[in-house]
Amino acid sequence: MSFVSLNLTPVLVANLQTLGFDKPTQVQSQAIPEILAGRDLMAGARTGSGKTAAYALPLMHMLLSSPAGTPKLRSLILVPTRELAQQVYNNLLSYSQNTGLKSSLVYGGAPFESQQKALAAGVDILVTTPGRLLDHLRKGTLSLANNRFLVLDEADRMLDMGFRDEIRGILRQLPKSRQTLLFSATFDDHIFRFSKSLLSNPILLEVDKRNSGNQDIEQQVYEVDDDRKTALLCHLLTHKAWPQVLIFSRTRQSADTLAKVLADKSIKPKPFMAICPRKAAIPCWQSSKIASCRR
């Protein structure tokens, strides 16, 4: 199967070919026809399966099939973290070249005013985290009145991170007549119960065995005395060819101490403090090789 056989708009297929994508992944080949048919979808797909394109391509196709003149928000993509928001947004920019579709990115921790200006200029597709979206809705800088499509990406993580009430608040401001797509790496009773308030007669698509882990991840455990953990960590960071490293610490103080030790050994960490929606501080720090902190 090719992307051409999925009946996507030629400009989207051309963009995919430019990006080097010739054949859809399993989740793409199964999800895209269902979405194009206008059905609500509940899809289980792990990270790295190509799920962003699985929902982004058909949404763009449908938006291009019914142009709205001045861009108005017609497609909303909710994600749990700013890192995923940036990743999804960058993918949208790649897929939508030469289409005229306008995408925007909104998340907490970034200047509110610049986001407000981008939204006022018009946007077709918005990628956002729930908390910052509610901020814009409360201040009247954004309307969901014209929204036709709602995507929840990594829905299981959004529930784990305590976004249930935020999502319900957003749903109250969305048109009842819409197409909703839910993507999750895992399915459990909480997800199924919550989905009943989100989707209407959804198609259930499970690409992998339910709740299976990523088979490409290798896990190792090192047994070491407490007083030698830092030395072992320094050794691993110095001698292992790891492209990215993310280290969690129990407290802010221990994170600061560890960061100083690593800096003394020419391993330059970037301190980072993330706060989850439940107001619980998660101290962590990033080495110079780290791309992002998920929470």
Side-chain angles (χ1 to χ4, degrees):
M1 178 181 289
S2 66
F3 282 107
V4 174
S5 65
L6 293 174
N7 298 318
L8 293 170
T9 304
V11 64
L12 295 176
V13 176
N15 289 340
L16 292 171
Q17 291 174 342
T18 300
L19 295 169
F21 302 143
D22 297 319
K23 295 182 179 180
T25 65
Q26 186 177 0
V27 66
Q28 292 163 5
S29 63
Q30 294 185 36
I32 289 175
E34 300 291 356
I35 297 173
L36 290 177
R39 299 184 179 97
D40 282 10
L41 179 70
M42 187 173 180
R46 66 188 184 212
T47 301
S49 61
K51 57 184 173 61
T52 302
Y55 61 73
L57 293 173
L59 292 187
M60 289 179 178
H61 172 92
M62 290 186 286
L63 292 176
L64 291 170
S65 300
S66 56
T70 301
K72 295 181 179 179
L73 178 57
R74 293 179 288 162
S75 186
L76 178 65
I77 301 174
L78 287 178
V79 298
T81 66
R82 69 179 69 182
E83 290 77 24
L84 181 57
Q86 291 169 331
Q87 177 183 318
V88 170
Y89 175 71
N90 289 335
N91 287 336
L92 294 183
L93 295 182
S94 298
Y95 303 150
S96 63
Q97 295 179 64
N98 306 311
T99 65
L101 292 174
K102 294 185 66 175
S103 300
S104 191
L105 177 63
V106 164
Y107 56 77
F112 188 91
E113 292 75 15
S114 60
Q115 295 177 354
Q116 180 179 349
K117 290 180 181 179
L119 294 172
V123 57
D124 295 293
I125 306 172
L126 179 63
V127 184
T128 180
T129 51
R132 179 51 63 95
L133 174 60
L134 282 175
D135 290 341
H136 281 281
L137 291 173
R138 292 185 186 112
K139 294 187 178 182
T141 56
L142 175 66
S143 171
L144 301 180
N146 295 293
N147 196 82
R148 292 175 51 198
F149 308 105
L150 170 64
V151 180
L152 290 93
D153 196 348
E154 296 198 6
D156 51 348
R157 292 193 62 205
M158 276 194 275
L159 295 185
D160 289 343
M161 294 173 68
F163 283 126
R164 188 184 303 268
D165 291 338
E166 285 86 347
I167 294 173
R168 285 175 174 156
I170 293 166
L171 289 176
R172 286 193 287 268
Q173 301 200 43
L174 283 166
K176 292 184 178 180
S177 177
R178 65 174 188 273
Q179 185 175 359
T180 303
L181 313 173
L182 183 152
F183 285 76
S184 180
T186 60
F187 283 151
D188 57 22
D189 291 341
H190 297 289
I191 285 286
F192 281 108
R193 283 197 298 269
F194 193 60
S195 69
K196 292 180 180 179
S197 63
L198 296 171
L199 302 104
S200 176
N201 299 318
I203 296 294
L204 178 62
L205 171 61
E206 294 185 86
V207 175
D208 304 301
K209 182 179 178 181
R210 183 169 297 182
N211 301 338
S212 63
N214 192 322
Q215 301 302 312
D216 298 327
I217 294 178
E218 177 184 345
Q219 301 185 52
Q220 294 182 343
V221 176
Y222 294 87
E223 294 187 5
V224 60
D225 295 335
D226 285 346
D227 59 352
R228 302 194 65 187
K229 285 195 297 184
T230 301
L232 174 60
L233 176 61
C234 292
H235 173 81
L236 293 173
L237 291 175
T238 302
H239 293 87
K240 294 285 187 179
W242 289 333
Q244 295 182 337
V245 180
L246 177 61
I247 301 171
F248 289 92
S249 179
R250 181 175 299 176
T251 66
R252 179 183 303 180
Q253 291 75 19
S254 60
D256 289 339
T257 299
L258 184 55
K260 292 177 181 177
V261 172
L262 294 178
D264 290 341
K265 295 183 178 295
S266 299
I267 305 172
K268 298 179 181 179
K270 297 179 181 179
F272 186 90
M273 172 66 71
I275 306 297
C276 79
R278 297 181 186 278
K279 308 299 183 182
I282 305 175
C284 63
W285 49 264
Q286 305 175 10
S287 85
S288 58
K289 297 181 180 180
I290 287 183
S292 64
C293 174
R294 283 292 185 182
R295 289 180 131 178

